[in-house]
């Protein structure tokens, strides 16, 4: 079997100390995650982050930077994910937007509220990305080079 990491994107969207989160079904239970998902063919990482945020939350966003690049191996299935975590500004909400299958709702939560919901985290990447963002980790979108 060939080992291959899965390329994913996630988005940190913060407004007055609250973070845009997604409540979704995973394995039959509701879990919390940043708006996140897989890179689709023929799109850039930035395009994927903007698309996933809209599809999972109904929010148009503008990517402004990168928090970091993370590797995570899920203990449930042994799959390794490479996550590029973006920073984005919320632009416009579409309250009637049809969210992706499995998405229950978007929620705005503070870090403290998230800490109180630790059992509902999809993974530890949630708080790692938020803490890196709060610590001032900011990288230019130019960090990602265009395809040749």
């Amino acid at each position: 079997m060939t080992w291959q990491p899965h390329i994913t994107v996630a988005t940190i969207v913060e407004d007055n100390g609250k973070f845009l989160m997604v409540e979704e079904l995973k394995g039959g239970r509701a879990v919390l995650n940043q708006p996140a998902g897989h890179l689709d063919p023929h799109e850039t990482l930035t395009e994927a982050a903007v698309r996933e945020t809209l599809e999972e939350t109904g929010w148009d966003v503008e990517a402004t930077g990168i928090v970091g690049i993370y590797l995570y191996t899920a203990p449930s299935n042994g799959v390794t994910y490479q996550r590029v975590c973006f920073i984005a500004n919320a632009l416009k909400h579409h309250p009637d937007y049809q969210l992706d299958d499995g998405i229950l709702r978007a929620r705005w939560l503070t870090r403290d509220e998230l800490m109180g919901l630790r059992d509902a985290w999809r993974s530890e990447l949630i708080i790692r990305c938020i803490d890196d963002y709060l610590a001032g980790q900011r990288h230019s979108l130019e960090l990602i080079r265009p395809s040749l």
Side-chain angles (χ1 to χ4, degrees):
M1 183 166 95
T2 303
W3 177 82
Q4 182 175 342
H6 295 248
I7 307 300
T8 63
V9 294
T11 309
I12 299 283
V13 182
E14 186 255 343
D15 183 29
N16 293 315
K18 292 192 173 199
F19 296 93
L20 181 60
M21 303 299 293
V22 173
E23 188 174 347
E24 61 187 339
L25 287 176
K26 179 69 177 173
R29 72 182 193 104
V31 296
L32 292 168
N33 198 9
Q34 276 98 16
H38 292 267
L39 177 68
D40 282 349
H42 312 295
E43 72 180 346
T44 68
L45 290 164
T46 306
E47 289 167 345
V50 169
R51 174 187 53 77
E52 286 288 352
T53 303
L54 175 62
E55 291 176 353
E56 294 190 350
T57 69
W59 278 91
D60 286 324
V61 298
E62 174 188 26
T64 60
I66 298 167
V67 174
I69 300 169
Y70 305 83
L71 278 180
Y72 174 75
T73 301
S76 61
N77 60 13
V79 173
T80 298
Y81 298 90
Q82 178 184 338
R83 171 187 271 202
V84 179
C85 187
F86 288 82
I87 303 162
N89 291 328
L91 299 176
K92 181 179 181 184
H93 186 233
H94 304 277
D96 296 326
Y97 192 88
Q98 180 63 48
L99 303 180
D100 276 354
D101 286 343
I103 303 297
L104 300 173
R105 63 182 168 148
R107 299 178 66 182
W108 290 92
L109 299 168
T110 66
R111 185 189 185 281
D112 287 344
E113 289 169 332
L114 280 166
M115 292 304 293
L117 298 168
R118 187 179 200 124
D119 289 343
W121 295 354
R122 180 154 181 183
S123 78
E124 295 289 325
L125 281 176
I126 290 172
I127 210 69
R128 175 72 187 273
C129 291
I130 287 174
D131 284 348
D132 285 351
Y133 168 83
L134 291 172
Q137 292 295 317
R138 308 280 197 290
H139 305 280
S140 168
L141 291 173
E142 293 178 3
L143 180 67
I144 299 174
R145 308 306 297 157
S147 297
L148 298 178

